[in-house]
Amino acid sequence: MSDTPENGAAAAQPAQVKSRVMAQYIRDMSFENILAQKGVSGEAQPEIQVQVNLDARKRAADNQYEVITKLNITSKTKDKGEPLFVLEIEYAGVFHVEGVPEEQMHPYLLIECPRITFPFLRRIVSDITRDGGFPALNLETIDFVALYRSELARRAEAEKAKVN
């Protein structure tokens, strides 16, 4: 018996996904320590809100994509809702991706790529909040699959609203 594929069976196998991070960087960042600027009365128990948005763009080079994770983090006092700080950050990764079928590229870029860069972004957020005079903020792990599905559902609802 031969180990060679018969009648082009090797061609039927899906291409192997090859992905590597070419670069990671902060595209834009703003940290505002409102507590230090205006002062807050009494003991401040923080309430933190984190909004996450994702964006992906094809780059000029073949098989290269820029994936951007945007965080908008606000901290307010629990009792009075006075703002303590605001952190806005856009963190990007440039990825070289091969072997992903076209119909799967969008979810790959908005799920797998942010998973790779998230630990680095988490560390940056922790350092910025600590260096800004607050306890280090350690972000919970983000479920990028749920975030992707939520965005698809939101877009479907928006399309449905347009039609009606």
Side-chain angles (χ1 to χ4, degrees):
M1 199 165 220
S2 171
D3 286 341
T4 60
E6 296 177 23
N7 299 331
Q13 293 179 351
Q16 180 150 356
V17 174
K18 294 179 186 175
S19 177
R20 73 175 195 261
V21 180
M22 307 293 288
Q24 295 183 66
Y25 56 95
I26 297 171
R27 279 180 43 109
D28 191 21
M29 185 182 71
S30 170
F31 180 81
E32 188 174 350
N33 184 335
I34 299 164
L35 176 66
Q37 295 173 23
K38 297 182 180 174
V40 174
S41 57
E43 190 68 25
Q45 282 293 326
E47 183 175 289
I48 309 253
Q49 265 192 327
V50 180
Q51 292 179 325
V52 182
N53 288 304
L54 300 170
D55 192 16
R57 302 180 181 126
K58 174 89 173 90
R59 292 174 54 108
D62 285 345
N63 302 315
Q64 282 193 10
Y65 301 87
E66 180 181 51
V67 179
I68 305 160
T69 305
K70 302 173 186 178
L71 297 181
N72 186 331
I73 303 169
T74 56
S75 177
K76 297 179 179 180
T77 60
K78 280 186 180 178
D79 56 344
K80 297 180 185 174
E82 295 173 305
L84 300 171
F85 72 81
V86 176
L87 171 60
E88 296 172 341
I89 185 167
E90 291 184 11
Y91 191 73
V94 176
F95 294 85
H96 182 92
V97 180
E98 292 181 49
V100 176
E102 191 62 36
E103 67 274 2
Q104 294 176 4
M105 187 60 79
H106 191 253
Y108 184 87
L109 292 173
L110 296 180
I111 296 171
E112 294 306 319
C113 294
R115 277 187 191 161
I116 294 169
T117 58
F118 181 74
F120 301 95
L121 176 56
R122 178 189 294 178
R123 184 196 53 80
I124 292 167
V125 168
S126 176
D127 289 351
I128 291 169
T129 53
R130 185 197 64 231
D131 293 349
F134 294 93
L137 175 60
N138 293 310
L139 296 173
E140 296 289 324
T141 301
I142 296 171
D143 184 349
F144 290 104
V145 172
L147 190 64
Y148 182 77
R149 288 180 179 155
S150 172
E151 179 61 16
L152 287 180
R154 186 195 67 76
R155 288 182 183 185
E157 285 296 318
E159 280 298 314
K160 194 189 296 185
K162 272 187 192 178
V163 173
N164 294 336

